[in-house]
Amino acid sequence: MKLWSGRFSKDVDGRVNDFNSSISFDKRLYKQDIEGSIAHSQMLYECGIITDEDRKAIQSGLKSILEDVESGKLDFSSEAEDIHMNIETILTERIGDAGKRLHTARSRNDQVALDIRLYMRSETDDISEELNKLISAIVKIAEKTTDWVMPSYTHLQRAQPVSFAHYIMAYAQMFLRDRQRLADCRKRLNLCPLGAGALATTTYPIDRYMTAQLLGFDGICENSMDAVSDRDFLIEFCSDCAMIMMHLSRFCEEIILWCSSEFRFITLDDAFSTGSSIMPQKKNPDVAELCRGKTGRVYGSLITLLTVMKSLPLAYNKDMQEDKETVFDCCDTVKMCLSVFTPMFETATVNKENLRAAASKGFINATDCADYLVRKGLPFRDAYKAVGRAVMYCEKTGKDLESLTVEEYREFSPLFDSDIYSAINLENCMLNRKAAGGPSPESVKIQIENLKKANELI
Ligand code: ARG
């Protein structure tokens, strides 16, 4: 028998029952549902709406349900539709009439909004912590590699020398912003909708601030209609997660390239690589590929939610039940990806010699060669042209800028002298890029310190 069966003359059709039921997925909210009900019953008692006896019966009944669910003794039924009605039904079976008083001054509309906010609060914290671990792993490697020269790229063509530390710190900056975004999302998420009732609060003398405080919220949702119909915080959360996955997929892409035979910049630990069923020589970066691929599901969650919420009139509509599966999948996916990506990255070996060897090809010191002429008085545009011709000459003759003689250099500009070689030495090129935010070891050290401070503030 449905809790809402009073005004109906027939039982609901079995197909409707299955279609409508959300227990198969919202059972994940059991803990939050019980926590919310304990706070609600406490507030009902403090405000003189239920007796102390009822309060005690409700609270110990709810605790016994929690224990039984956690020890696997209790199973939910799809007959009771969702987690809220399941728990209320079981409670009433256990404690009788007091159980029927729990839903006083409450609706499933504010109840579900509460449960999902509580759930998302802890998921947001978990993901932020996973990001924190990843940032720490990056920083640890960066601290050891501030003078490991490698090429940087634009258009995937070798550009200018940077250090491995500088390269990976770019990712630390992205993940720092992701943590900041989650912290910002949490502010709007951490407001209590309970007491909004179905949509217009209640005539009982409730104290919404009390329940908000009991549940660790920063305040209440100020408009009862908004309280039950707002899912912005889920959309913001999924948008933040989409951004995390976008960043992670870029990092994954680099790692996949870096461990190919063409690059050999890093070697993944065997424990974080996989083999092929047919090609005995293969060692594949499946973890990075799978993280890259799972980005699609997270983008999907964001689009699903935006589309579910589009054009919904106020206030609660059953469409909104569709928020859960997708947001749960989003949480699971992001957490899983981060928790396996971080140790994969941490345990990889960075091949210093190969980074250096790649940096010494591709004329990545050509800008420095031009800057040398500028220091000797040539306008930058003329210097750029002279070095361009020198590069063309090198390509034709199979030389590089380091191996041209001073005589050869002078064909392109009389300003060249023997001090050109130290000016285009790759280590010097990197060292001399001392501008704030640049790749010189001292700049990168400052960057690392600033990032650590900003990360601690979250
Ligand atoms: N299972 C529902 C959901 O997830 C709970 C709220 C139902 N409220 C209602 N009036 N039917 O959205």
Side-chain angles (χ1 to χ4, degrees), residues 166 431 433-450:
H166 192 54
L431 225 70
R433 287 186 158 74
K434 293 190 200 330
S440 79
E442 52 191 280
S443 297
V444 172
K445 278 174 198 151
I446 295 170
Q447 183 193 164
I448 292 174
E449 286 322 303
N450 289 343

Side-chain angles (χ1 to χ4, degrees), residues 22 26 81-82 84 108-109 112 316 318 320-321 324:
S22 54
D26 66 13
E81 202 173 308
D82 58 22
H84 325 294
R108 271 187 298 157
N109 299 348
V112 71
Y316 177 83
K318 188 76 171 190
M320 287 156 73
Q321 180 165 288
K324 283 169 215 62

Side-chain angles (χ1 to χ4, degrees), residues 256-270:
I256 294 161
L257 283 173
W258 287 351
C259 57
S260 69
S261 311
E262 283 69 17
F263 278 79
R264 292 196 183 284
F265 285 181
I266 63 168
T267 309
L268 294 181
D269 192 271
D270 279 0

Side-chain angles (χ1 to χ4, degrees), residues 245-377:
M245 292 304 292
M246 181 269 286
H247 292 151
L248 198 66
S249 76
R250 295 180 71 178
F251 208 175
C252 287
E253 176 75 9
E254 308 256 23
I255 285 170
I256 294 161
L257 283 173
W258 287 351
C259 57
S260 69
S261 311
E262 283 69 17
F263 278 79
R264 292 196 183 284
F265 285 181
I266 63 168
T267 309
L268 294 181
D269 192 271
D270 279 0
F272 289 92
S273 313
T274 46
S276 153
S277 61
I278 170 169
M279 295 169 281
Q281 84 283 11
K282 290 294 280 283
K283 178 170 164 185
N284 294 329
D286 279 22
V287 169
E289 291 170 68
L290 211 44
C291 289
R292 188 176 59 178
K294 283 182 188 289
T295 306
R297 321 165 59 118
V298 176
Y299 288 7
S301 295
L302 174 61
I303 297 300
T304 301
L305 283 178
L306 283 167
T307 314
V308 166
M309 295 309 291
K310 177 187 172 294
S311 314
L312 279 191
L314 292 177
Y316 177 83
N317 297 275
K318 188 76 171 190
D319 314 43
M320 287 156 73
Q321 180 165 288
E322 284 295 308
D323 61 358
K324 283 169 215 62
E325 281 163 292
T326 200
V327 87
F328 292 159
D329 186 67
C330 175
C331 296
D332 295 348
T333 305
V334 174
K335 278 202 289 192
M336 194 168 32
C337 288
L338 289 170
S339 70
V340 60
F341 181 91
T342 300
M344 176 201 64
F345 181 63
E346 256 174 347
T347 54
T349 309
V350 185
N351 305 321
K352 189 178 182 185
E353 284 70 39
N354 296 347
L355 296 174
R356 180 68 179 76
S360 59
K361 288 180 211 129
F363 310 102
I364 68 174
N365 45 6
T367 317
D368 303 82
C369 191
D371 288 341
Y372 166 89
L373 292 176
V374 171
R375 280 197 301 278
K376 303 255 167 172

